[in-house]
Each structure stands twice: as C-alpha cells, then as structure tokens.
Amino acid sequence: MTKSLRINLTSCAQCGLCTLVCAERLAGISDLYLGAIRVESALPSSYKTRLHYCLQCAKAYCTDACPQQALKRGDDNVVYLDKESCNGCQGKYLCVHACKYQGMFTDSRFSYPLKCDLCAGEEPRCVSICPMKAIKLA
Amino acid sequence: MPYGYWGKVLIIDAEHKRVSELNLDEDFYRNFIGGRPAVANLLLSRELHLVDPLSSDNEIIIFTGPLTSSMVPGGSKAIWAARSPLTGGYLDSAVGGKLPYHLKRTEYDGLIIKGSSKRHIFLEVINGQVEFKDADSLWGLGCFETEEKIRQVYGSNPSVSCIGPAGENKVHIAMVHTDFYHQVGRGGIGAVLGSKNIKAIVIEGKKNPVLYHPKELFQRSVELIRNRADSQQIQFRLKFGTLTTLDLNQKLGIAVGHNFQTGIASRYDIDMNRDYIKEHYVTKNLACLGCPVPCGMGSTIEEKGEKTIIGGPEYETMGLLGTNLDVSAEGLLLLNRDCDDLGLDTISAGNILGFLMEAQEKGDLTPGDLGLELKWGDTEASRKVLKMISERQGLGDKLALGVRRFAEEMCLNQDRAIHVKGLELPGYDPRGSTGTALEYAVADRGGCHRRARPLQKEQEDDEFRLAYEGKGQYVADLEDNRAFLHALVLCDFLPKRYGLKVDELAKLVNLATGWDMTSEEALNIGAKAIQQARIFNLKCGVTAKDDTLPGRFFKQALGEGASKGFNIDEKGFQLMISDYYVARGWDCNGVPTDETLKKFSLEGFQ
C-alpha cells in the first residue's frame, strides 16, 4: 500500500507553513517557492484551496518520463529523486511536465525538481507543523 | 550588510516614475531595529511634519524588521507609516497577510513611496524591480474586485495591497486592503495612497535575507510552534479568533454601545456573541502567511440569493460596527464587508455611524440633513451612509473627514465625538479601565488599543482597574514592551501565547543579527519609538492639550452593565497624565526634557 499525504482542504487556513518547513528541508531555507507542497488560494473570490504535492502515484508518470532513471520507487513505495543522477533534462524537466497532478516543482535556483519524499521515513514536517491539523499521512 | 537586513530601503517616486535607494548602516538598525522605531526616525529625518498629509510631498514608509517572516511565531507583520490626514500627526499601522514575507524578500528592508502620479497607476515591485503600471481599468473598483483582477494576472502567491473608492476619494478614514482579510486600517493611510493616484501595490520577492544563525533560529521557532500547538490558549484562539474579547468586555461592562453610552452589547444574548457568529457564519480560519495561529475568521452570508464571503468579523469590527450600533450579527457582517470593499476603517466608520445615530436620536441632526433616517440597529441605512462617505456624496463629504472634524464643522456636541487626537476609539469603554483611558489619551497615533493593553492586569483586580494611582509608569512600561514587538515586527497576539518575553525575543533577534542585544537595550529601543513619535507630533502641533479623552467620559457615567455609574474623574485623569509624563521624562507640557533627548540620542530632532 502506498502512503501519501491526505489533506482536508476545508480546514486549510492557507498559512503556508507546510511549504516553508518543507523548503527548509529541501533547500535549507524557509522559502515559499522552494517547498514540495504548495498552497493555491482562490481568495478573494472564494475560499476554495488547492494544495499541490506528490501523491506517490501507484503508476508514477514521473518515473516513466525520467531519461536518467533518477526517480525510483523505494521499498516503502515512496518515489525518491536521486539528485546526483538528475540533470533536470537540461532544463526540460520531463518528469515535472509528465506529472498530471502538478505535484513536482522547479525553481531557477536549483538544477533538479523539488519533490515530496514524505521526509524519507521521518514524520513529514508538513504534517507536524500544520496548525489546523489538515495534513495527515495515510 | 548587517545580518538579518538588506541595509537599504527602496524609494519609489510615483511623480517622476523613478526609483532610488536609501542606504542605512548597521548603526541605524542597532539603534532602531526596524518597524515602529525605524519609521518614526524616518518620518522625523525626512521632515514629514512639514508636509500636507494629502499633498504629493507626504510619503508612505513601509518597514519590516529582523524577525519578519523568519518563522518566529508572529513574524508576519510589517509597519506602514505617514503623516496622518485624519489626525495631522504621527501615524503607523501594522498589517499582515503576504506583504511582510514578500517585502522582506525584495532585497530591501522597506519601501518609501513619494510623489503623486499624474495618472492612475499601480506599482509592481518584483524582486526589487519596479514597474509603474496603468490602473485606469481598476480605478473606481472595490477592494475585492481590484485584488481579484490583479490576481488574475499575478496569481495567488504575491502580495496585493489596494485601495477602494474611499482611498481614491481621499476619505480621511480610508484604509489599505491587503491580501484579502488584512487591512492597514488606521489613520487614513488609504487616503495618502489615493492622493498619490496609486490604486494598488503588487509585491513579490524571492531573495532571502542572510541571517546570522538561520538553522538555530528556524529550529527554535519550529520547536516553539510544535510544543505549543495544542495549548488551550492557542486552540481557543484558533476557534474564535478575537471574537472572545467581547465576553471579557461584556463581563467588565466596557463593551461599546450606542456611541459609548451603555458599556454593554444589548444583543449579546441574542446573536452578537462568538458562539452564534461561529456557528452561523464562520466558514474558515484564515492566516497571515507563515502564522502558526490562523486567527482570522472567514465568514459567508447569503445576500439576494448569492453567497458572499467576508474576512471577519474580528473584535474591533464587532464592537464598533456591531455592538455600538445595535445591529444584528448579519447586519454586522454586511457592514464589515461594505467597509472592507469600500476601503474604510471599520473602527472609524463605526464611530461615525454611532455619532450620527445619536445626533439624529437627540434631534441635533435631522434625517433631512443626512438625506435619510438613521436609527440604532438600522443596517441598510448604515450601508447607505458608508457609501456616501466613501464617495463623498452629500453630507458624506464632511463625514469623510472623521468624527472630530465632522462635529466641529457641523457645530455638533463634541463631547459625543468619540476620538483622541482625531482617531476614533476602538472597542473598550475607558470608564471601566483607567489604564485604557490613559493608553488612549497618550497614544501617539491617537485613540489606540494596541499600544499597551493595561487590561491584562486590570481584568484580574477591580480595584487596580479603576485606580488612578500607579498607572503612569505601568502604561509606559507596557508601551515600551509593545513598541519593541512592533520593531521586530511581531504580531501583538503571539509572543504571550508562546511564552516569549523580552529577554527571549532579544535572543531571537541576536540569532538573526549576530548582535548581543539585552532586554534593557530592547526596551530602550521600544521607548525610543515613543519618544520619536512624540517629537514628531509636537512638530505637527499635536501637543499635551491633545492628551485627553472625549468630554463624554468625564461628564457622563456609563449607563448599563458592570461598570454602570463610572466616569473618568478629571483630577484622577490629570494625575495619571502627570505620572505618565514623569515616567516618560517629559516636562509638565508633555515635551521631552533635554535630559531625555540626550538619553535617547535624539537631540538632533529638538
């Protein structure tokens, strides 16, 4: 059974803490544009919230798209990115475009995509920081 | 470049469509930290006391601090400042939303907006690069539609601040709406932006400031957030936001009712209470970016068959537009929404409506004067008046000047115009809290509840709550503490809930900056903010004569509730003022002595 994040969008208060703590782990700095989970708000017209993150799909389009085999499913069924093997497809980021759920991200400050790996076995930071307890690992 | 800062401020000249930089050295930051002390210094050094608040010479200064958007709980605030069109004196006003995060990442510690554009524009400030964009298609729109249209182009990430019709029409109680639900509310800063023909400011930043010890600051912040997440105080705040404040004020008899006559919320047991509003209207908690206690209440109502979303209510709005006017909970939400969309400060607008309702009730103003009948509890008539004010139609043109000037120009009973220094009062009746009375009277920006909060101790001790002795030093100390928070810039609500006292906050500042700041130095800088604001006010002609309260509070006792029968004793009040002046190092005319100026190294501003 694949584990992934489950999010209660009704509860999400759009504080962005999930993104900021995730970015600190991935990039060493709490930066809104460097996390692997992103909050999209529809305010002021609606309370609708969208969260973008890797669903650890059973059939992962990203792994199929990667020409370097840098994206691999681990024994825990989580899809991991091997940054050493990844060359960002010379800027094409085929995996990012292959993802049907907008669950991977790029930023010009990094040569590889930003992707959730559920904190590699530790309690995911986004789960433990969320003040609304809207994010769970299931 | 000092750690935790960029060492510079971006100056945007809207008139000549030019930008420049103001470089600030480490001494500036060590002396003023950021936020309130920094803007007070800039208002003085840039001699803004000499300018007409609504002329092109006035400037809007927006400043962050070393802990802005650092993950320290509460670091989601920035300070706006200008010479106020409402009071004619010092003005700062804090705001959250996404603005503090993005401003701190523009490679500047703040912005100064000067000059007035000849055409309608909005400012795009992305990574420190400024574009002056045409805003003709946005001019005339309400705040919500303006933000929505801008976000259709820029997306949900950047910060969007804008004005509504009130700001465009230079209404003196106009606010700046920021990132849905947040407002730079007080003192008419929206009118200053409108006078510059600037409809909106879009800010996006991706450059992270270099901190001295980022890992430790991050870890300490995350530990604090996680360890306190389930505390009762924080969970309660998440559940009700600031709506619970009415419970305390109702209990103490210091809620506002009928233009500060009653001291109670008459509909408290019907629908004007936290539980009813939470159950019937609140849809969602809303947060400032990076805040671990999303205390904003996002509500929904149905109007004419359509669902409308409302940022709020929070307590001050509930007090001044709700309990004060005796409207229903639904009426409060509609007035809340109208003010937010038109770009009006809800506190000031509620005061003006209360003043009008009382004036009509007592026959000082006829329905013919206003063009409509306005009675307590009448939401629809109130909504019409809000529109008249924001569009300056009919008597709305005079109402737009604020309650003080309206009462003066119409020769109405000024004892009932509830303001200090021209700034309308918030939702605590001072007759049941002498500390609040003093806080209001001496607050630099005028009637303000965010400078000290003396109720903190008063609420537990009725004798102390009503005493005049011992309040001068007490309020001054609380003010220094608050001003230090506002230097960092931290939200008022969070440090206490995370057990962060001044010494602990100074340590966090040191992690960001590499300094060895002590709590004594920290509080001294807080006090410096107040000294500078005082000097600025004196230069503006706002003096000791303005350190007072509306006549009503001296002459008329509270009519109902737990503080019924209390009024402010003139002699007791003067004792508090004198004690406060001594605590501040001011002479009997409220002027900082030479010794005080020397102590704070402010002799240059004499």
Side-chain angles (χ1 to χ4, degrees), chain A residues 44-45, chain B residues 138-149 161-169 171 173-178 180-183 190 199 303 308-312 317 321 332-346 349 383 386-387 389-391:
Chain A
S45 55
Chain B
L138 300 173
W139 207 259
L141 299 183
C143 293
F144 299 142
E145 197 176 349
T146 303
E147 181 179 348
E148 197 175 349
K149 281 199 185 303
S161 297
C162 63
I163 55 170
E168 293 174 9
N169 294 321
V171 171
I173 61 163
M175 55 75 167
V176 175
H177 160 107
T178 296
F180 183 72
Y181 174 67
H182 310 277
Q183 290 90 24
K199 179 68 177 174
E303 194 191 9
T308 306
I309 71 170
I310 296 156
T317 303
L321 287 174
L332 157 66
L333 282 154
L334 289 166
L335 295 175
N336 186 162
R337 187 197 176 279
D338 284 1
C339 281
D340 289 355
D341 200 32
L342 295 166
L344 292 168
D345 173 16
T346 55
R383 296 180 77 181
L386 293 177
K387 202 158 186 298
I389 295 172
S390 61
E391 292 177 359

Side-chain angles (χ1 to χ4, degrees), chain B residues 92-118:
Chain B
D92 71 58
S93 193
V95 76
K98 298 176 180 183
L99 180 134
Y101 175 94
H102 285 291
L103 179 54
K104 188 73 184 177
R105 283 164 175 78
T106 54
E107 277 193 281
Y108 293 94
D109 297 310
L111 302 180
I112 295 176
I113 302 166
K114 60 186 275 192
S116 295
S117 171
K118 287 189 175 55

Side-chain angles (χ1 to χ4, degrees), chain B residues 200-273:
Chain B
I201 308 172
V202 182
I203 305 179
E204 187 171 32
K206 292 189 178 179
K207 302 279 176 72
N208 292 295
V210 178
L211 306 180
Y212 181 72
H213 219 315
K215 284 274 173 204
E216 202 175 327
L217 188 64
F218 176 83
Q219 281 164 6
R220 177 90 184 94
S221 304
V222 168
E223 270 171 32
L224 275 167
I225 294 170
R226 285 183 180 148
N227 292 344
R228 297 265 177 160
D230 295 323
S231 76
Q232 198 182 357
Q233 270 195 329
I234 286 173
Q235 286 303 312
F236 201 59
R237 192 67 165 190
L238 283 176
K239 192 168 177 188
F240 294 115
T242 58
L243 294 176
T244 53
T245 307
L246 181 60
D247 302 330
L248 173 68
N249 291 1
Q250 182 80 348
K251 185 180 138 204
L252 297 176
I254 59 167
V256 296
H258 286 215
N259 198 32
F260 289 79
Q261 293 185 85
T262 67
I264 58 152
S266 65
R267 296 181 63 94
Y268 185 70
D269 294 326
I270 307 170
D271 58 358
M272 194 57 72
N273 62 65

Side-chain angles (χ1 to χ4, degrees), chain B residues 331-396:
Chain B
L332 157 66
L333 282 154
L334 289 166
L335 295 175
N336 186 162
R337 187 197 176 279
D338 284 1
C339 281
D340 289 355
D341 200 32
L342 295 166
L344 292 168
D345 173 16
T346 55
I347 297 178
S348 291
N351 268 282
I352 290 171
L353 288 168
F355 180 82
L356 285 174
M357 286 177 183
E358 187 182 357
Q360 282 206 3
E361 182 184 51
K362 294 189 169 149
D364 298 342
L365 206 63
T366 66
D369 295 329
L370 186 60
L372 52 86
E373 191 173 32
L374 188 65
K375 289 183 169 171
W376 302 113
D378 190 339
T379 301
E380 283 313 309
S382 298
R383 296 180 77 181
K384 285 179 188 153
V385 176
L386 293 177
K387 202 158 186 298
M388 283 167 60
I389 295 172
S390 61
E391 292 177 359
R392 301 190 81 141
Q393 295 163 346
L395 210 54

Side-chain angles (χ1 to χ4, degrees), chain A residues 9-10 12-13 15 17 21 24 29-33 41 43-45 47 49 109 125 128-129 131-133, chain B residues 101-102 105 144 148 156 180 204 206 208 215 218 226 230 284-285 287 289-292 298-300 309-310:
Chain A
L9 292 174
T10 310
C12 172
C15 69
L17 271 175
V21 290
E24 206 277 341
I29 187 116
S30 47
D31 183 306
L32 194 58
Y33 300 90
S41 165
L43 290 171
S45 55
Y47 289 128
T49 309
R109 289 168 282 185
R125 286 182 170 201
S128 63
I129 204 77
M132 306 309 295
K133 303 194 187 331
Chain B
Y101 175 94
H102 285 291
R105 283 164 175 78
F144 299 142
E148 197 175 349
S156 80
F180 183 72
E204 187 171 32
K206 292 189 178 179
N208 292 295
K215 284 274 173 204
F218 176 83
R226 285 183 180 148
D230 295 323
K284 199 176 182 64
N285 282 66
L289 179 56
C291 179
S299 299
T300 309
I309 71 170
I310 296 156

Side-chain angles (χ1 to χ4, degrees), chain A residues 2-89:
Chain A
T2 307
K3 279 191 171 180
S4 71
L5 300 174
R6 294 280 184 270
I7 298 178
N8 179 347
L9 292 174
T10 310
S11 299
C12 172
Q14 306 178 352
C15 69
L17 271 175
C18 52
T19 309
L20 296 172
V21 290
C22 177
E24 206 277 341
R25 176 173 172 270
L26 293 180
I29 187 116
S30 47
D31 183 306
L32 194 58
Y33 300 90
L34 297 177
I37 178 166
R38 307 278 176 97
V39 183
E40 189 181 338
S41 165
L43 290 171
S45 55
S46 136
Y47 289 128
K48 279 182 191 157
T49 309
R50 290 184 70 192
L51 257 79
H52 302 284
Y53 55 98
C54 174
L55 299 172
Q56 316 296 339
C57 303
K59 175 176 168 36
Y61 300 99
C62 57
T63 56
D64 294 348
C66 179
Q68 304 293 321
Q69 282 83 49
L71 283 157
K72 289 178 186 154
R73 193 175 296 280
D75 295 340
D76 53 3
N77 274 329
V78 173
V79 177
Y80 288 96
L81 171 72
D82 175 10
K83 290 179 210 161
E84 300 299 318
S85 306
C86 174
N87 62 6
C89 314

